[in-house]
Amino acid sequence: MDVIKHKHNAYAICFGLLQQAAASLSELEQSPGKEVLKSMQPFVNAIVKPELLKHHDKEVKLLAAACTCEITRVTAPEAPYDDDVLKDVFHLIVSTFSGLRDTKGPSYGRRVTILETVAKYRSCVVMLDLECDDLINEMFTTFFSVASDGHSETVITSMKTIMVAVLEESEDINQDLLLIILRVLGRNKKAITMAARKLAMSVIAQCAGKLEPGIKHFIVKSMSGEASTSAISLQIDHHEIIYDIYRCAPQALAGIIPYLSGELLTDKLDVRLKAVKLAGDLFSIPGCSIPDTFHPIVIDFLKRLTDKVVEVRMSVLEHVKLCILSNPSRSESPQFIAALCDRLLDYDESIRQKVVAVVSDIACHELSSISPNTVKLVADRLRDKSLLVKKYTMERLSDIYRMSCTKRMSDGYNWIPGRILRCFYDKDFRSDTVECILCTSLFPAEFSVKDKVRTWVRLFSKFDKVEIKALEKILEQKQRLESDALEVKKKVMVCFRFMSRCFTDPTNAESDFLLLHQLKDANVWKILTTLLDPTTSSLQSSKSRDALLKIVGQKHPLYGILSILSIKCSYILFNKDYVKDILLEVDLQKSSGNRLLTQSCMNILVILASFSPLLLSRTEKDLVHLLEDDNEVIKEGILYVLAKAGGVIREQSGNSSSSLDLFLERLCLEGSRRLAKYAVHALVAITKNDELKSLSVLYKKLVDMLEKKEHLSSVLQSLGCIAQTARPVFETQETKIRNFIKKDILGYSEKASDKTKESWDDKSEVCSLKIFGIKTLVKSYLPVKDAHLCVGIGELIKDLNNILSFGEISKDIESRYFFPTLHSRVDKAHLKLAAAKAILRLSRHWDKKIPVDVFYHTLRTSEFEFPEVKRLFLKKVHQYIKDRSLDPKYACGFLLDLGSQQSVQEKSEENRNLNDIIQMCQQGKARQVSVQSDGKFSVVRPESILLYLIHALAHHPSFPNIDQCKDLKAYEPIYRKLYLFLSMLTNFHEDGKPSNSLKKEEVTSVLSILQSIRSSEDAIDTNMSKNSYAICDLCFLITKCLAQKQEDLEEPLVHVRVPQGLYVSHDKKEENETEKDKEEEKESEIDKKEQEKEDKKHVTEGHTWLGDASAVAHFESLNMESNESTTSKIIEDDILDIEETSGKEVPLGIILERLKARGTKDRKSVKNGSTPTSVQNNSNKDNNNNDDNLGMVREIDLHKLGVSNGHEINKSDEKHKRKRIPNQATSVAVAKRKKSNVLSAFDNIKMSDLEDHIHTKEDGKTDGSDVECTSKEGESQHSQHTTDLIGRRIKVWWPKDREFYEGLVKSYDDEKKRHVVLYNDGDVEVLRLDKERWVLVRNTPKPTKASVISYLYFVNIVRIKWGQFHVYPSKQNVKYTYMQICYIRI
């Protein structure tokens, strides 16, 4: 016991002494005096004795470490001990650092003091001098293992200071020490604390320059797979190392950037995926900008968006989103977004959908980071071929718009609802998806009804006609469902079938309705009844709908139909609260003076009144209040609302408002024409239950005012509207009104004013009244119901015909103008235009009553001297046909103006409108539905318009006399019009692909029409039949030129019924003659088989001299290109000339491209056809000498053609060259511009018929030095046409150009009797000269090889530089061709 007690006392004494010593040493300053050092020397020697340094008690060792630490501080810079003792001392000090883990222990403070002392006085550097590498490694490992979030900042800073001091003072960084640091780095390491990871990153950040070589070496070795396989290295992921180093010291990674790019481009998929993830993680670090040194990585990273593996592209997209979301304002954001937009057209639908998701997520996170133009590119995916992508795009667009509304930034995105509405016309969407989006996803949930109303008002101010029409269709379907629901008990099956048409899949919808009809759940029907109530608010409707779907459940078979039906039948989209707020918004916008938004408010009210009139119930007082306003926009809108929903409004109010009725009557009597029109309709709507008594009173007042000639413009408008809407009332004084209009208005004449008027708008007041009178008469024959009961339509059409002919209702009125001034011409032009428009309107119900001469007078309205007449008339024709209220035969009006001069803009607009009409007819043909909604018109196929066009042109006053006029130029305007029409038939095919040729179906249809016309006579004037036949000849020629395949011309024809009023078939005529004269012998019937053979033949009967070869050659030689192409040709020529004369270096590839385009335009366009294989082989065989040169040049311009060999270029070039290739089906030689098969129909025509047109290319004549040879001479002098001509120059007659072209005979094939002729312009032809007309050029020596080369004298130097040719033209202004370039010899 005494021993133990003694030991305990000794320990206590020792512990106390050490404590006192540590405290005393801590108070000493560094480098004290010698006396102090001498006095402390015994303690200095005693403290390092092994008994203390290796004491078994931790506290004693800790005090010993504290004392030695202070001793080294005090004695610095001198070492207090020798090296071996110092090593033991530092071992003791480092061992104390492991206790820093216990932050709550009693000795924690003393350990922190030791740590801070070592850090402050950098005593740790001594370990480097002592070469204590293992001890340093141990110290670093200890620091990383004990560092935690519980440590104060001072402790962590001291650790960092010690490690930085050691690293900075080290000459070379030990590999093991580097691995200790790197091992701490990386995410998701459970054994490593975040404090340790941050400590390592801060150390690397401060010692980046020192550590960079070692880091690069380790990462490169790891990437190459050559890293050490030691246990410590296997714990290190080099991608994680890069990530953490990038965060703290990106400059230390400059050396590994090429290697990281290599991983992004490697063929190994797993490595590529990891590299993409790493790059994405680097660039998406929040608050971290991308250094300039990493921009190559950014480029390579974005290039992976085009990776062949979908998984890689998907990963890049996800990381690009994270990059932008981390810092939307970063400078690289535009580059990222542009790369995203490029992938919107990716071939994989999952990628396209992912791009839409990424852009939408970015926009919803930070709307300002995505421009509206980028969102518009995303919106284009609404037309994606994938239904999944289209639906997802619509959902995300609604998210973006909802976010823009939330942030009050919707001005740049107000187009989104319009684009969503347009999807209504997409067969994949219809109204189901669109209406659901509009009702549930378009606006923020926190938006009040007032906010939604203001948004809708702004949207309507931006909507176009298509978008408004789509919204109307959606509301119309809701209206159908609501009205049908009331009749369910009466006609269940019929109602279900009709209602199912409002759904995407009508068949399934109908079966679902039957199941729903059998449902007995009272709660479901109660909720549906609530949804149908117009007084239910939007919020209540949404809650009721959610409750309904919750009751049914997603697994129920009726969940889908109820989900859609609950939206269609409800008033979520618009309800009564909307109407109230819209009426308030009208006052607000009127007060602010915003006319556009005021008009938008009225447009919404009109649509709601049209399709949901119950929403406007009990609003009569508000409407009357607005109606009394002086604002014309508001007044007109309210009248329109009353016209649409007046009956429901009056019925719901339960009492009549006499003030409203009187106000409407006053507008009918004294208001403007527009207001009077809507006022009559409004009055009819609100008084429909009083048996038209109120309207009868108004009608009497109107007739009285008409006789008094007061407010005639408004009175005439009101009378016309009454005639349309209340026919029984109008009939009471119909005769009086018509007589007054004809006698006192249309029959009125006045002396022309002395004032000279030069403007189209300067029409007289009398003219305006006459136009109003015409409109009233027309409306009287266009009632809403029972139009066929009207009598006297023939008299009205006769009066309109007089106006079309004379400009007045009768010729007598015209004679009263003694001096036909400009004033009268302007008025007559207006009246003719009004009469023409009247015929257009009447034709919808009375087309069969309109005579042919009136039809033609109407079409020729556009030929009047004022261009405004043509523009307005054709605009109205286009509008009516597009609205399906006019027979497409009136489209002939676009093609009857044969002589007037038009601007390019006017001509372009007319052609575009005609194209629209033809396209509409093509769509009707493809869908096999009638173009007209009422089925009154039989013209559906656009080719059928040709029946009317041919007859109209034949009766045109400017059509030449076919028997007397032989000037082909006189027929050119007609040919051009026909060519324009028939060429438009090639632009629209059912598959939507562009084409420039007629398909077999179209060719057969056109030829069948021509056959039917040739088999008929003119029903009006038989003398005009020749004109029709002549036009058929021209159509026949054009059809052959435009036919896709010449074989299509041989297809059997079909019978086409010709309009009876225009043509009379020969068979019909014979039947009529037989009925009149029964005594005549009956003509023998044509055998049925022979008739079928005749139907298969081409159109040969009834042809005229316009089908002769000379005429055919003339019309085929016409340049049918547009003025725009000619202008572009001139511009290209000017540019090329400037380059030639300026002496600049012109790349040969560019010259070839321009010269090919020029050659194609200079030569006349030719119908492409197939070349016989035998001819191609012979041609290739004969031109082997030039293969090298041609092949060389064909491979020059690869930057434009995108091919790598000459063969592909050769194929494309062949389409532009005019090859002379004999047709195997005929013995007649083919002209240089490929001959049409027209000549096969005129085999009796000889080439001698063209002798009058022979002339040379230079001066149009053949000089005496040339020997002219015909085909007959060729037969008799065959021996001279063999090898004797090789090397001689001849001139070959081209019948379609009507010119001789000079060329050199290169070779002769004795087996096939063919010569190869090289023309001066570079074209090569294989000819049978015994079948051609040609001229031998005398006194021309056989050219040598040198002379052929010198022919291209304009080329001075051809230089080859990296596969690109440059031509240096001479100073002379030389016009050279594409083929001349091809014959350059190198």
Side-chain angles (χ1 to χ4, degrees):
M1 289 293 294
D2 294 338
V3 174
I4 295 174
K5 186 176 180 180
H6 176 73
K7 289 183 177 181
H8 177 72
N9 292 334
Y11 170 78
I13 294 171
C14 178
F15 187 80
L17 293 174
L18 289 175
Q19 282 183 326
Q20 293 178 6
S24 300
L25 289 172
S26 64
E27 296 177 355
L28 290 177
E29 296 181 356
Q30 189 176 6
S31 302
K34 293 182 179 181
E35 294 78 5
V36 175
L37 292 176
K38 185 177 180 181
S39 63
M40 59 180 290
Q41 189 62 42
F43 179 77
V44 171
N45 296 330
I47 196 63
V48 293
K49 289 184 178 181
E51 292 82 0
L52 291 177
L53 294 179
K54 298 180 180 180
H55 198 279
H56 65 276
D57 188 79
K58 294 181 180 180
E59 295 298 328
V60 173
K61 291 173 66 177
L62 178 62
L63 289 172
C67 292
T68 55
C69 182
E70 291 295 334
I71 291 172
T72 56
R73 175 185 68 82
V74 171
T75 60
E78 299 296 332
Y81 307 107
D82 58 18
D83 292 349
D84 293 335
V85 175
L86 282 177
K87 289 181 180 180
D88 293 337
V89 169
F90 279 110
H91 272 287
L92 178 63
I93 293 175
V94 170
S95 65
T96 62
F97 293 155
S98 60
L100 291 172
R101 183 180 289 104
D102 185 10
T103 59
K104 304 296 183 181
S107 62
Y108 176 72
R110 192 175 302 281
R111 297 177 190 275
V112 172
T113 301
I114 296 174
L115 178 68
E116 292 176 349
T117 301
V118 174
K120 182 177 182 180
Y121 296 99
R122 297 170 59 87
S123 58
C124 56
V125 177
V126 178
M127 290 190 289
L128 294 174
D129 298 332
L130 299 176
E131 297 182 352
C132 300
D133 294 340
D134 294 337
L135 184 60
I136 292 175
N137 293 345
E138 180 184 351
M139 180 178 64
F140 274 60
T141 302
T142 301
F143 284 160
F144 290 135
S145 62
V146 303
S148 67
D149 296 333
H151 287 131
S152 64
E153 184 179 354
T154 304
V155 174
I156 300 298
T157 302
S158 299
M159 292 180 182
K160 184 185 76 170
T161 302
I162 293 172
M163 290 191 287
V164 169
V166 172
L167 293 174
E168 291 292 345
E169 294 298 330
S170 299
E171 295 181 0
D172 295 319
I173 304 300
N174 188 295
Q175 182 69 16
D176 293 337
L177 180 60
L178 179 64
L179 292 178
I180 291 173
I181 300 174
L182 297 181
R183 184 181 59 179
V184 183
L185 302 180
R187 295 163 290 182
N188 303 322
K189 287 189 175 182
K190 297 180 180 179
I192 305 298
T193 64
M194 182 57 68
R197 182 182 171 197
K198 290 181 179 180
L199 175 62
M201 291 170 62
S202 62
V203 170
I204 293 174
Q206 197 159 344
C207 303
K210 200 77 174 179
L211 296 175
E212 181 179 355
I215 293 173
K216 176 184 176 182
H217 180 268
F218 172 78
I219 293 177
V220 171
K221 289 293 184 180
S222 298
M223 286 181 173
S224 61
E226 300 176 2
S228 172
T229 57
S230 63
I232 188 171
S233 64
L234 292 177
Q235 300 175 6
I236 301 175
D237 183 355
H238 67 275
H239 282 168
E240 293 295 321
I241 301 300
I242 294 173
Y243 177 80
D244 277 348
I245 294 177
Y246 180 86
R247 293 180 60 189
C248 61
Q251 67 276 12
L253 299 174
I256 62 112
I257 289 178
Y259 300 95
L260 185 55
S261 295
E263 285 195 339
L264 286 170
L265 302 176
T266 185
D267 293 334
K268 297 180 180 180
L269 177 59
D270 57 337
V271 176
R272 208 159 66 245
L273 281 171
K274 290 180 180 180
V276 166
K277 182 180 183 303
L278 172 62
D281 292 342
L282 296 182
F283 302 148
S284 59
I285 297 175
C288 182
S289 61
I290 302 176
D292 293 340
T293 54
F294 274 78
H295 282 176
I297 301 296
V298 174
I299 296 174
D300 292 335
F301 170 69
L302 293 179
K303 284 181 179 179
R304 290 303 92 207
L305 285 171
T306 60
D307 197 280
K308 61 182 179 181
V309 180
V310 174
E311 185 181 359
V312 176
R313 303 203 299 274
M314 197 71 74
S315 177
V316 176
L317 289 174
E318 183 62 30
H319 285 92
V320 167
K321 181 183 76 172
L322 297 176
C323 292
I324 300 177
L325 292 180
S326 65
N327 185 9
S329 60
R330 67 167 72 239
S331 59
E332 294 84 9
S333 292
Q335 184 180 4
F336 288 151
I337 294 173
L340 287 175
C341 294
D342 290 341
R343 301 321 305 162
L344 284 169
L345 300 177
D346 194 282
Y347 63 87
D348 189 273
E349 67 175 33
S350 62
I351 296 296
R352 299 196 300 274
Q353 181 178 348
K354 183 64 176 179
V355 175
V356 173
V358 170
V359 175
S360 301
D361 289 342
I362 296 172
C364 292
H365 177 265
E366 185 62 46
L367 192 60
S368 59
S369 62
I370 299 291
S371 67
N373 290 333
T374 301
V375 181
K376 287 182 180 179
L377 293 177
V378 173
D380 290 340
R381 292 303 92 213
L382 290 173
R383 300 192 299 270
D384 198 277
K385 61 183 179 181
S386 169
L387 177 60
L388 182 64
V389 176
K390 290 195 290 188
K391 288 187 175 181
Y392 185 77
T393 301
M394 178 181 289
E395 295 172 0
R396 298 316 307 268
L397 284 176
S398 66
D399 294 341
I400 294 174
Y401 184 75
R402 186 171 63 252
M403 181 58 62
S404 69
C405 292
T406 301
K407 296 187 177 182
R408 307 295 177 180
M409 299 172 58
S410 61
D411 289 344
Y413 302 90
N414 281 336
W415 53 269
I416 291 180
R419 293 293 295 272
I420 294 176
L421 281 172
R422 283 176 175 267
C423 294
F424 174 83
Y425 299 102
D426 191 320
K427 63 180 180 180
D428 294 328
F429 286 117
R430 298 298 174 91
S431 64
D432 299 355
T433 309
V434 175
E435 188 173 359
C436 183
I437 292 292
L438 295 178
C439 292
T440 60
S441 306
L442 196 60
F443 300 116
E446 61 272 14
F447 253 33
S448 64
V449 174
K450 187 175 182 179
D451 293 331
K452 292 180 181 179
V453 166
R454 289 183 176 178
T455 306
W456 274 116
V457 170
R458 291 197 303 271
L459 292 177
F460 260 77
S461 65
K462 305 292 185 180
F463 284 169
D464 58 19
K465 293 181 180 180
V466 176
E467 294 158 357
I468 292 178
K469 191 68 174 178
L471 182 59
E472 290 177 350
K473 288 292 184 181
I474 292 174
L475 295 176
E476 182 181 1
Q477 290 186 358
K478 295 171 68 68
Q479 184 184 31
R480 290 177 181 176
L481 289 172
E482 293 162 5
S483 61
D484 289 337
L486 301 176
E487 304 291 335
V488 162
K489 294 181 180 180
K490 300 179 181 179
K491 301 178 181 178
V492 175
M493 295 300 297
V494 176
C495 289
F496 285 167
R497 187 175 298 108
F498 188 77
M499 293 163 62
S500 63
R501 296 173 186 172
C502 301
F503 294 81
T504 303
D505 190 345
T507 304
N508 291 337
E510 185 176 353
S511 61
D512 289 340
F513 274 126
L514 292 174
L515 290 176
L516 180 62
H517 182 59
Q518 300 172 4
L519 191 64
K520 304 299 182 181
D521 195 326
N523 291 328
V524 172
W525 295 108
K526 182 179 179 180
I527 293 175
L528 288 175
T529 304
T530 303
L531 292 174
L532 285 170
D533 188 357
T535 60
T536 306
S537 65
S538 297
L539 182 60
Q540 290 175 338
S541 297
S542 298
K543 292 181 178 179
S544 299
R545 180 175 180 270
D546 294 339
L548 173 65
L549 298 179
K550 186 176 181 181
I551 292 174
V552 176
Q554 293 186 1
K555 296 183 179 180
H556 197 281
L558 293 177
Y559 183 85
I561 188 68
L562 286 175
S563 176
I564 300 172
L565 187 65
S566 58
I567 288 181
K568 287 184 173 294
C569 291
S570 68
Y571 290 91
I572 297 178
L573 187 58
F574 295 107
N575 54 44
K576 275 194 170 184
D577 296 335
Y578 277 68
V579 174
K580 293 178 182 178
D581 283 332
I582 291 173
L583 293 174
L584 295 176
E585 190 71 16
V586 172
D587 281 330
L588 179 63
Q589 297 300 335
K590 180 194 67 174
S591 302
S592 63
N594 194 323
R595 181 182 177 87
L596 180 62
L597 294 184
T598 302
Q599 182 67 61
S600 181
C601 292
M602 302 316 302
N603 291 341
I604 299 176
L605 286 175
V606 168
I607 292 178
L608 294 180
S610 302
F611 302 102
S612 300
L614 289 175
L615 297 180
L616 283 89
S617 60
R618 303 185 186 279
T619 60
E620 185 171 348
K621 292 183 179 180
D622 297 327
L623 296 178
V624 171
H625 169 70
L626 293 174
L627 193 59
E628 295 174 351
D629 196 280
D630 294 334
N631 191 303
E632 291 292 323
V633 174
I634 296 178
K635 189 177 294 185
E636 182 179 324
I638 296 300
L639 289 175
Y640 205 167
V641 169
L642 291 173
K644 294 293 184 180
V648 176
I649 295 173
R650 178 61 59 85
E651 182 181 351
Q652 293 292 325
S653 63
N655 55 359
S656 60
S657 174
S658 58
S659 60
L660 176 59
D661 297 353
L662 293 175
F663 190 83
L664 293 177
E665 287 184 7
R666 188 167 67 252
L667 290 178
C668 294
L669 297 171
E670 302 175 359
S672 64
R673 285 183 58 83
R674 289 180 64 86
L675 295 180
K677 173 184 176 181
Y678 294 124
V680 171
H681 288 279
L683 198 58
V684 170
I686 65 177
T687 61
K688 63 179 180 179
N689 294 328
D690 65 355
E691 299 179 356
L692 302 178
K693 293 180 181 179
S694 300
L695 204 61
S696 299
V697 175
L698 172 64
Y699 184 58
K700 185 178 180 181
K701 293 180 181 180
L702 289 170
V703 175
D704 292 340
M705 293 186 66
L706 182 66
E707 294 176 345
K708 296 177 183 179
K709 299 182 179 180
E710 297 177 354
H711 302 287
L712 284 179
S713 61
S714 300
V715 170
L716 289 172
Q717 177 75 295
S718 300
L719 289 173
C721 293
I722 291 175
Q724 284 185 296
T725 57
R727 183 70 189 175
V729 175
F730 182 77
E731 287 177 346
T732 58
Q733 302 190 56
E734 179 179 5
T735 304
K736 181 188 294 187
I737 294 173
R738 288 179 177 170
N739 291 338
F740 181 87
I741 293 175
K742 291 179 63 176
K743 180 180 178 182
D744 295 348
I745 296 180
L746 296 179
Y748 177 79
S749 62
E750 65 175 355
K751 185 177 180 180
S753 174
D754 295 333
K755 180 181 178 181
T756 301
K757 300 181 179 181
E758 301 178 354
S759 173
W760 163 254
D761 297 325
D762 291 335
K763 62 182 178 182
S764 65
E765 295 182 2
V766 174
C767 178
S768 298
L769 283 178
K770 289 183 178 183
I771 293 174
F772 299 153
I774 293 173
K775 291 182 177 181
T776 302
L777 291 176
V778 171
K779 288 180 180 179
S780 67
Y781 286 94
L782 297 174
V784 177
K785 297 180 180 180
D786 302 327
H788 63 281
L789 299 179
C790 300
V791 295
I793 184 64
E795 186 177 354
L796 174 60
I797 293 176
K798 180 180 178 182
D799 293 337
L800 293 175
N801 190 33
N802 289 337
I803 296 176
L804 288 171
S805 302
F806 314 123
E808 294 290 351
I809 195 172
S810 68
K811 194 172 184 180
D812 296 336
I813 298 177
E814 183 188 26
S815 63
R816 299 176 193 173
Y817 289 100
F818 300 103
F819 303 99
T821 62
L822 181 62
H823 171 80
S824 65
R825 293 202 302 273
V826 171
D827 287 353
K828 287 182 179 181
H830 278 282
L831 287 172
K832 286 186 176 183
L833 177 61
K837 290 181 179 179
I839 295 295
L840 296 181
R841 294 192 63 186
L842 289 172
S843 66
R844 179 167 190 178
H845 294 288
W846 304 100
D847 188 62
K848 294 182 179 180
K849 298 291 184 179
I850 299 176
V852 178
D853 59 334
V854 178
F855 172 61
Y856 290 150
H857 279 154
T858 304
L859 295 182
R860 288 200 288 269
T861 303
S862 60
E863 300 176 21
F864 203 66
E865 58 182 306
F866 289 93
E868 290 84 357
V869 176
K870 178 179 182 179
R871 179 176 57 84
L872 295 174
F873 173 73
L874 294 181
K875 181 179 179 181
K876 189 64 66 175
V877 170
H878 175 254
Q879 175 188 339
Y880 284 165
I881 296 179
K882 291 289 287 184
D883 293 341
R884 300 185 178 181
S885 60
L886 184 66
D887 195 316
K889 68 183 181 181
Y890 282 87
C892 297
F894 288 91
L895 301 165
L896 295 184
D897 192 5
L898 302 178
S900 65
Q901 298 294 329
Q902 292 178 279
S903 64
V904 175
Q905 183 178 1
E906 292 174 347
K907 185 177 181 181
S908 175
E909 182 180 0
E910 290 181 12
N911 292 345
R912 183 169 57 252
N913 291 339
L914 181 58
N915 255 330
D916 289 342
I917 295 173
I918 294 177
Q919 183 181 23
M920 186 192 70
C921 295
Q922 289 280 21
Q923 292 172 351
K925 180 179 68 174
R927 298 172 183 173
Q928 295 182 352
V929 297
S930 175
V931 174
Q932 299 298 335
S933 57
D934 55 8
K936 293 182 180 293
F937 303 124
S938 59
V939 177
V940 174
R941 295 177 178 270
E943 307 92 64
S944 301
I945 301 176
L946 191 61
L947 286 165
Y948 299 90
L949 178 60
I950 291 176
H951 198 273
L953 290 173
H955 284 259
H956 198 280
S958 63
F959 192 89
N961 189 317
I962 193 66
D963 294 326
Q964 298 178 4
C965 181
K966 301 297 183 180
D967 185 6
L968 293 174
K969 291 186 177 180
Y971 299 91
E972 287 184 6
I974 298 173
Y975 179 86
R976 292 182 182 277
K977 294 294 183 180
L978 294 171
Y979 189 94
L980 174 64
F981 174 76
L982 292 174
S983 62
M984 285 184 179
L985 299 180
T986 68
N987 296 332
F988 307 102
H989 285 169
E990 290 85 345
D991 55 4
K993 297 181 180 179
S995 175
N996 58 356
S997 59
L998 293 172
K999 297 198 302 183
K1000 180 173 69 174
E1001 179 185 0
E1002 295 160 344
V1003 171
T1004 303
S1005 180
V1006 172
L1007 294 182
S1008 298
I1009 290 174
L1010 300 182
Q1011 171 71 15
S1012 299
I1013 295 176
R1014 292 180 185 274
S1015 302
S1016 307
E1017 290 186 354
D1018 198 296
I1020 301 175
D1021 186 356
T1022 56
N1023 295 327
M1024 293 293 180
S1025 300
K1026 291 184 178 181
N1027 293 356
S1028 298
Y1029 301 156
I1031 297 173
C1032 287
D1033 288 337
L1034 298 180
C1035 292
F1036 186 57
L1037 171 61
I1038 296 171
T1039 304
K1040 287 195 173 185
C1041 292
L1042 295 177
Q1044 189 174 25
K1045 299 178 181 178
Q1046 294 299 313
E1047 294 80 2
D1048 296 340
L1049 301 171
E1050 305 294 336
E1051 290 295 321
L1053 305 182
V1054 296
H1055 176 70
V1056 177
R1057 178 178 296 180
V1058 294
Q1060 295 181 359
L1062 304 183
Y1063 305 98
V1064 177
S1065 64
H1066 295 311
D1067 295 338
K1068 196 77 174 179
K1069 183 178 179 181
E1070 290 174 0
E1071 291 177 5
N1072 294 336
E1073 292 177 354
T1074 302
E1075 292 177 359
K1076 293 180 181 179
D1077 190 5
K1078 295 183 180 180
E1079 297 179 357
E1080 294 182 1
E1081 294 182 359
K1082 294 183 179 180
E1083 297 180 0
S1084 59
E1085 296 181 357
I1086 302 176
D1087 185 77
K1088 189 175 181 179
K1089 294 182 180 180
E1090 293 182 0
Q1091 183 63 37
E1092 291 178 356
K1093 291 181 179 180
E1094 290 295 326
D1095 290 339
K1096 294 181 180 180
K1097 290 182 179 180
H1098 286 302
V1099 183
T1100 55
E1101 57 179 350
H1103 67 269
T1104 64
W1105 63 269
L1106 285 178
D1108 295 346
S1110 58
V1112 169
H1114 173 80
F1115 289 118
E1116 286 189 343
S1117 66
L1118 293 179
N1119 182 8
M1120 305 307 295
E1121 294 180 353
S1122 61
N1123 294 332
E1124 289 79 5
S1125 63
T1126 304
T1127 304
S1128 63
K1129 171 184 178 294
I1130 296 174
I1131 294 175
E1132 290 179 4
D1133 288 347
D1134 292 342
I1135 294 175
L1136 198 58
D1137 292 343
I1138 292 173
E1139 291 172 343
E1140 292 172 5
T1141 56
S1142 62
K1144 293 183 179 180
E1145 186 178 64
V1146 184
L1148 180 58
I1150 296 178
I1151 291 180
L1152 292 181
E1153 180 180 351
R1154 293 179 183 170
L1155 293 180
K1156 283 187 288 183
R1158 177 191 292 178
T1160 304
K1161 294 177 181 178
D1162 286 344
R1163 302 164 185 152
K1164 308 304 178 185
S1165 59
V1166 184
K1167 170 70 187 67
N1168 293 332
S1170 60
T1171 303
T1173 306
S1174 61
V1175 177
Q1176 290 180 352
N1177 294 337
N1178 287 319
S1179 179
N1180 294 335
K1181 181 179 179 180
D1182 293 332
N1183 290 306
N1184 283 338
N1185 294 334
N1186 296 323
D1187 282 347
D1188 295 338
N1189 300 327
L1190 293 174
M1192 173 191 69
V1193 178
R1194 290 187 186 114
E1195 294 180 359
I1196 292 176
D1197 197 8
L1198 301 182
H1199 75 282
K1200 187 68 175 177
L1201 298 176
V1203 293
S1204 59
N1205 58 68
H1207 301 291
E1208 295 181 20
I1209 302 177
N1210 187 27
K1211 293 178 182 178
S1212 62
D1213 287 344
E1214 289 298 320
K1215 297 180 180 179
H1216 302 288
K1217 295 179 182 179
R1218 296 172 294 142
K1219 291 300 181 184
R1220 178 182 180 134
I1221 301 173
N1223 193 331
Q1224 295 176 350
T1226 178
S1227 61
V1228 182
V1230 182
K1232 188 168 186 179
R1233 265 194 319 276
K1234 182 182 174 183
K1235 280 188 179 179
S1236 170
N1237 288 336
V1238 173
L1239 293 180
S1240 63
F1242 306 98
D1243 294 332
N1244 57 336
I1245 299 177
K1246 299 180 180 179
M1247 296 303 295
S1248 59
D1249 295 336
L1250 304 177
E1251 290 180 357
D1252 295 337
H1253 303 285
I1254 296 177
H1255 58 281
T1256 63
K1257 189 173 183 179
E1258 290 78 10
D1259 55 8
K1261 298 180 181 179
T1262 59
D1263 53 31
S1265 62
D1266 298 338
V1267 178
E1268 184 174 343
C1269 303
T1270 63
S1271 57
K1272 294 180 179 180
E1273 293 173 354
E1275 295 174 0
S1276 61
Q1277 301 176 1
H1278 176 66
S1279 59
Q1280 297 180 6
H1281 299 162
T1282 56
T1283 57
D1284 295 343
L1285 291 177
I1286 298 176
R1288 303 294 300 274
R1289 304 195 69 82
I1290 63 173
K1291 295 181 180 180
V1292 182
W1293 171 249
W1294 288 26
K1296 294 186 179 181
D1297 287 359
R1298 297 184 297 167
E1299 293 186 19
F1300 278 103
Y1301 289 106
E1302 184 176 337
L1304 177 68
V1305 179
K1306 296 286 292 182
S1307 62
Y1308 175 70
D1309 186 347
D1310 186 62
E1311 180 180 354
K1312 297 186 177 181
K1313 314 299 182 184
R1314 300 179 186 275
H1315 289 80
V1316 176
V1317 179
L1318 171 63
Y1319 290 97
N1320 290 351
D1321 61 358
D1323 278 0
V1324 179
E1325 274 194 298
V1326 182
L1327 303 174
R1328 287 196 61 177
L1329 292 181
D1330 56 339
K1331 301 291 186 180
E1332 298 291 336
R1333 177 175 293 277
W1334 52 276
V1335 174
L1336 177 63
V1337 181
R1338 291 182 175 178
N1339 302 325
T1340 54
K1342 182 176 180 179
T1344 62
K1345 182 176 180 180
S1347 63
V1348 173
I1349 300 175
S1350 63
Y1351 176 75
L1352 300 172
Y1353 63 93
F1354 63 90
V1355 177
N1356 294 333
I1357 302 175
V1358 177
R1359 183 175 62 193
I1360 303 178
K1361 179 167 55 179
W1362 294 100
Q1364 182 181 12
F1365 288 77
H1366 294 277
V1367 177
Y1368 300 83
S1370 60
K1371 295 183 179 179
Q1372 293 89 344
N1373 187 14
V1374 181
K1375 299 294 183 180
Y1376 35 84
T1377 66
Y1378 169 67
M1379 288 303 298
Q1380 287 171 344
I1381 297 293
C1382 293
Y1383 282 101
I1384 297 175
R1385 303 276 184 152
I1386 299 180

